[in-house]
Amino acid sequence: MSQSRPPVADPTPRVVVPAGTTAGAAVREAGLPGKGADAVVVVRDAEGQLRDLSWTPSADAAVEPVAANTPDGRAVIRHSCAHVLAQAVQQQFPEAKLGIGPPVRDGFYYDFDVERPFTPEDLRALEKRMKQIIKSSQRFSRRVLDSVEAAKAELKDEPFKLELVDLKSDVDTDEVMEVGGGELTVYDNLDPRSGDRIWGDLCRGPHLPTTKHIPAFALTRVAAAYWRGSEQNPQLQRIYGTAWESQEELDAYSERVAEAERRDHRKLGAELDLFSFPDELGSGLPVFHPKGGIIRREMENYSRRRHEESGYDFVNTPHITKGGLFHTSGHLPYYAETMFPPLSFEGEDYYLKAMNCPMHHLIFRSRGRSYRELPLRLFEFGAVYRYEKSGVVHGLTRARGFTMDDSHIYCTQEQAPGELRSLLAFVLDLLSDYGLSDFYLELSTRGDTGKFIGSDEEWAEATETLRQAAVDSGLELVPDPGGAAYYGPKISVQAKDAIGRSWQMSTIQVDFNHPKRFGLQYTAADGSRQQPVVLHRALFGSIERFFGVLTEHYAGAFPAWLAPVQVVGIPIADEHVEHLEQVAKALRERRVRVEVDTSDDRMQKKIRNHTTQKVPFMLLAGGKDVEAGAVSFRFRDGSQINGVPVDRAVELITEWIAGRENTSPSAESVRVEH
RNA sequence: GCCGCCUUAGCUCAGUCGGCCAGAGCGGCUCACUCGUAAUGAGCAGGUCGUCGGUUCGAUUCCGACAGGCGGCUCCA
């Protein structure tokens, strides 16, 4: 149908908009699509500014058409859809006051001040109303307000918008799309026939030409949100929605959401009998069941081995300490509210450990240290407890009790850059051994709040050292101003999982404050006393969180080397059990976790059970196999290899596990022949 | 911590507009079946309807507090 359209050779084709004509006309003239998923919805001018199709430059302007199915195009669709939502809300609830309504990842939201919170029924009614608005093809029309006074007069019934008008100089961000760019504009929704103004909103734009250009949307949930993101401000009711350039894309998005739900580690943790959160223990305190315990142990064991090989020393420290230690470190009183309240006895306040570093510093300080010992790398799987607010506790990824794979590296100033580089390489290498391979880095630097300790020079130097190490890694580096720890800047490694979600994994921090506070010293070659630099580093972040991330990454189908049960023998009939027990014995001798299913379920049922339990290798044996001294493989994906000689089967499974292969074995990937 | 929603058997969920013995599927246990690649059949057990308090002749059902969960906000050394 669209075959006559010329192929797009230039990735960013330009269209020239003649002076005094609209961008839309030029786009049409150029033969670019006006409807469908690749419809041009706005253009980008020479300054990079997005403009409405109704934009009319006063001089000829070369612009870049922006299609609906691009990140910018989708943002415009979503933002316009937010306006439609707001119009629907004010039709249905005339007393509702408007907050802000920006596009966000995969969708949009709009905040409202209403007398009572929205209900799910409200959402359904609003969706219906929005569909009518979209169908009526209202035109989005931009209007420049003459002055701040004019704006205030127009917005006299919208207290939050008024506030934005007064704040406009410092709210020109992507989040607040209402105002910006030096002038105040309103987008009116006009009736396509009469041109009457139906609704309007303070907004910097740009917008779609008409509401009909919103091809597919859905309202997804309601929540409360603080006005302008501050706990001090009133809470508004936020409605979230999603909008896409086509119904197919909306469906695909819904499918991604459903897939994420299926992978939810909290759900899989129960289904696969890995861990639970007993109410009796309290919120955020997990227990690991035997199968979860195996995965956890394998994760830890491999990490332990790699750390041993890389020159780390293993230490152990207690879970509780007198409060003085955390005063020395500076954690108290800054972070008192995120630590559990103290236990008072014998005239002392004892705190549950919220971080391991102070205790490691004490180990460093326990005797005189020589430069010959540096870098000294102390490592511990250290359990910590943090009083996370009740509303943020979330499965294994945000728990109140968890285990950090924590290490502190004490080195000289000169050693720090090299140590950081090799540390980062080590971290990325180890993470990829667990099957995560898509990384980017975030550099968290000092902010201007009072929580950061230490001098400007020290911060600048530490930040630069970290930045350099990050740049040397060749990975994408995203700045995170104000995100540093109070004692120093940090790099965090963000990993993307199998369905493209990012998780913060490792953090690496440079710390020049703790050495000072703890009076850490070593004797240098010239006999002088020097202060070491401390590098803090958690690789998994926390074992629990990494466990949760891996569970979701693999959708519960753990690599064979991590799987709680690696092999299950399934006899066709009872008389074949003996044969499988022999195979199991051989595997068990090679430390393979193997079971033979002797239950009186039918063979088909056993296959189903162990498939849903995501066992990587199922070994079936019937008369033919017994006779041939063989077994038949069935894999998670349903593929099979029949009649594999027992010796070869044992060898093959052992090799697969020892190779720490992270993909699921299948008839295609497993090679029977040598 | 804040806002909203939720909590019935091990799990997933019906149900009670306030009233005799609260149901189903899966799971568990028992028995029969011995089977060639995702659910064999029959039977049995299992619930103080999250906890505490209030209203009521009577509460699993209505109200409140608390705990736990879910979705957000805020926070995240």
Side-chain angles (χ1 to χ4, degrees):
Chain A
M1 189 172 165
S2 58
Q3 277 177 345
S4 59
R5 196 179 301 153
V8 183
D10 185 349
T12 58
R14 299 272 159 174
V15 168
V16 174
V17 184
T21 67
T22 67
V27 165
R28 265 197 309 281
E29 193 68 22
L32 295 167
K35 50 182 164 186
D38 55 353
V40 172
V41 289
V42 290
V43 298
R44 186 191 312 282
D45 70 13
E47 280 79 49
Q49 186 98 34
L50 293 178
R51 300 286 189 174
D52 298 322
L53 290 186
S54 60
W55 177 62
T56 312
S58 50
D60 287 8
V63 300
E64 182 189 322
V66 175
N69 57 3
T70 62
D72 281 332
R74 288 185 184 128
V76 171
I77 291 172
R78 287 163 188 165
H79 181 48
S80 293
C81 197
H83 274 227
V84 172
L85 167 64
Q87 182 185 151
V89 166
Q90 289 199 317
Q91 282 175 4
Q92 186 124 339
F93 306 95
E95 81 292 351
K97 302 300 178 199
L98 301 175
I100 61 171
V104 292
R105 183 186 156 80
D106 289 341
F108 62 88
Y109 66 79
Y110 213 114
D111 289 343
F112 305 95
D113 185 25
V114 280
E115 275 166 23
R116 63 159 180 85
F118 297 110
T119 64
E121 294 73 52
D122 291 335
L123 281 201
R124 280 197 290 278
L126 287 168
E127 272 192 351
K128 205 170 157 195
R129 220 175 251 278
M130 288 172 71
K131 280 181 183 149
Q132 285 165 2
I133 294 170
I134 289 170
K135 203 173 163 197
S136 72
S137 199
Q138 295 174 9
R139 254 169 55 219
F140 283 97
S141 174
R142 185 170 187 269
R143 174 160 55 90
V144 180
L145 294 167
D146 297 332
S147 63
V148 170
E149 289 66 41
K152 285 188 175 177
E154 174 148 355
L155 296 166
K156 62 181 192 312
D157 293 329
E158 292 289 355
F160 299 101
K161 297 289 186 189
L162 279 177
E163 203 176 314
L164 291 177
V165 170
D166 280 330
L167 288 165
K168 75 183 190 95
S169 55
D170 63 331
V171 290
D172 189 7
T173 66
D174 285 345
E175 184 84 335
V176 179
M177 302 198 70
E178 273 56 24
V179 294
E183 57 185 3
L184 289 168
T185 54
V186 164
Y187 273 78
D188 293 319
N189 281 74
L190 306 181
D191 183 289
R193 295 221 182 78
S194 64
D196 291 345
R197 177 176 184 274
I198 298 170
W199 188 81
D201 190 8
L202 178 73
C203 181
R204 72 170 186 226
H207 277 283
L208 300 170
T210 74
T211 56
K212 212 166 193 169
H213 287 78
I214 300 169
F217 81 98
L219 298 184
T220 49
R221 53 177 146 261
V222 274
Y226 298 108
W227 168 240
R228 301 189 59 231
S230 167
E231 264 177 305
Q232 317 305 323
N233 291 338
Q235 277 196 331
L236 306 180
Q237 290 299 311
R238 175 171 295 180
I239 296 180
Y240 279 95
T242 185
W244 296 84
E245 69 273 18
S246 66
Q247 184 62 42
E248 294 72 53
E249 285 301 317
L250 175 59
D251 293 345
Y253 168 73
S254 306
E255 179 46 38
R256 285 198 294 280
V257 170
E259 176 62 21
E261 269 169 31
R262 283 192 287 275
R263 286 171 178 254
D264 191 318
H265 73 276
R266 296 167 298 184
K267 188 173 139 78
L268 288 170
E271 283 173 8
L272 303 177
D273 195 14
L274 304 179
F275 58 83
S276 60
F277 290 87
D279 290 357
E280 291 82 347
L281 296 187
S283 183
L285 299 169
V287 292
F288 284 79
H289 302 1
K291 285 181 177 172
I294 289 170
I295 296 171
R296 197 182 154 131
R297 199 176 67 230
E298 289 292 343
M299 284 169 57
E300 290 176 359
N301 283 351
Y302 181 64
S303 166
R304 199 174 273 126
R305 196 184 103 200
R306 291 291 307 270
H307 279 84
E308 279 165 2
E309 290 166 2
S310 301
Y312 285 76
D313 294 318
F314 288 68
V315 298
N316 281 291
T317 64
H319 292 197
I320 182 172
T321 167
K322 289 192 282 193
L325 185 67
F326 291 126
H327 275 111
T328 304
S329 69
H331 290 103
L332 282 171
Y334 288 139
Y335 292 103
E337 78 279 6
T338 38
M339 292 177 70
F340 278 92
L343 309 162
S344 299
F345 56 96
E346 293 176 353
E348 286 282 356
D349 279 351
Y350 282 80
Y351 285 86
L352 279 173
K353 175 166 72 169
M355 66 297 298
N356 302 298
C357 33
M359 299 201 184
H360 290 186
H361 300 336
L362 297 182
I363 293 170
F364 181 90
R365 209 174 68 177
S366 64
R367 62 170 170 78
R369 297 288 175 182
S370 154
Y371 72 96
R372 294 175 198 274
E373 293 182 77
L374 306 185
L376 179 68
R377 306 181 184 94
L378 303 184
F379 179 97
E380 176 179 16
F381 286 117
V384 297
Y385 299 88
R386 297 181 183 177
Y387 180 65
E388 300 286 0
K389 288 181 188 173
S390 60
V392 306
V393 170
H394 183 95
L396 292 176
T397 55
R398 195 81 180 269
R400 284 180 171 168
F402 56 93
T403 313
M404 296 180 78
D405 59 329
D406 210 357
S407 66
H408 295 92
I409 299 174
Y410 301 82
C411 63
T412 69
Q413 197 90 37
E414 296 71 44
Q415 287 169 336
E419 192 63 20
L420 274 175
R421 243 192 324 275
S422 62
L423 188 53
L424 194 51
F426 175 66
V427 163
L428 296 174
D429 188 51
L430 190 46
L431 285 178
S432 65
D433 282 347
Y434 290 90
L436 298 171
S437 53
D438 191 354
F439 306 113
Y440 70 92
L441 303 177
E442 208 168 88
L443 180 62
S444 300
T445 50
R446 185 181 194 168
D448 46 18
T449 61
K451 79 166 188 176
F452 303 99
I453 59 174
S455 74
D456 293 348
E457 299 73 51
E458 289 168 319
W459 274 86
E461 186 178 336
T463 304
E464 180 51 27
T465 311
L466 262 183
R467 200 188 61 79
Q468 198 54 53
V471 167
D472 291 348
S473 74
L475 291 172
E476 183 191 353
L477 183 62
V478 177
D480 172 32
Y486 71 88
Y487 48 74
K490 73 176 178 194
I491 292 177
S492 53
V493 177
Q494 313 279 328
K496 283 193 186 160
D497 72 8
I499 58 172
R501 297 170 301 174
S502 291
W503 300 88
Q504 179 180 320
M505 310 274 36
S506 322
T507 60
I508 300 174
Q509 298 161 4
V510 177
D511 176 12
F512 37 83
N513 277 304
H514 279 176
K516 206 179 303 170
R517 286 175 161 263
F518 281 85
L520 304 184
Q521 291 188 327
Y522 65 90
T523 306
D526 63 1
S528 66
R529 294 296 181 88
Q530 300 290 334
Q531 188 175 291
V533 173
V534 174
L535 309 179
H536 299 244
R537 190 236 60 175
L539 201 151
F540 295 150
S542 89
I543 311 281
E544 288 76 3
R545 155 175 260 259
F546 194 60
F547 189 114
V549 171
L550 283 188
T551 304
E552 303 205 2
H553 178 63
Y554 290 115
F558 286 95
W561 66 283
L562 290 171
V565 178
Q566 297 167 316
V567 181
V568 168
I570 299 177
I572 301 302
D574 282 351
E575 65 202 81
H576 311 122
V577 166
E578 175 59 25
H579 174 68
L580 281 172
E581 290 289 7
Q582 293 301 319
V583 180
K585 182 165 179 284
L587 285 166
R588 216 167 277 130
E589 280 166 2
R590 290 165 177 77
R591 301 183 61 85
V592 173
R593 296 184 288 272
V594 54
E595 293 172 0
V596 176
D597 188 343
T598 57
S599 70
D600 51 10
D601 283 330
R602 296 175 76 217
M603 179 263 301
Q604 287 86 340
K605 182 63 180 289
K606 293 180 185 182
I607 289 171
R608 177 183 157 80
N609 285 155
H610 300 114
T611 306
T612 55
Q613 285 295 303
K614 303 178 194 286
V615 173
F617 295 100
M618 281 173 274
L619 296 182
L620 281 78
K624 279 181 263 176
D625 292 298
V626 172
E627 212 169 294
V631 288
S632 294
F633 280 80
R634 183 184 162 107
F635 304 98
R636 282 166 173 159
D637 62 354
S639 61
Q640 38 179 306
I641 306 176
N642 295 329
V644 179
V646 168
D647 289 351
R648 179 58 192 145
V650 168
E651 183 180 41
L652 206 146
I653 291 170
T654 325
E655 281 170 5
W656 184 277
I657 292 169
R660 289 193 326 281
E661 177 59 56
N662 285 322
T663 58
S664 279
S666 73
E668 275 180 32
S669 56
V670 167
R671 293 172 52 84
V672 175
E673 304 80 27
H674 282 273

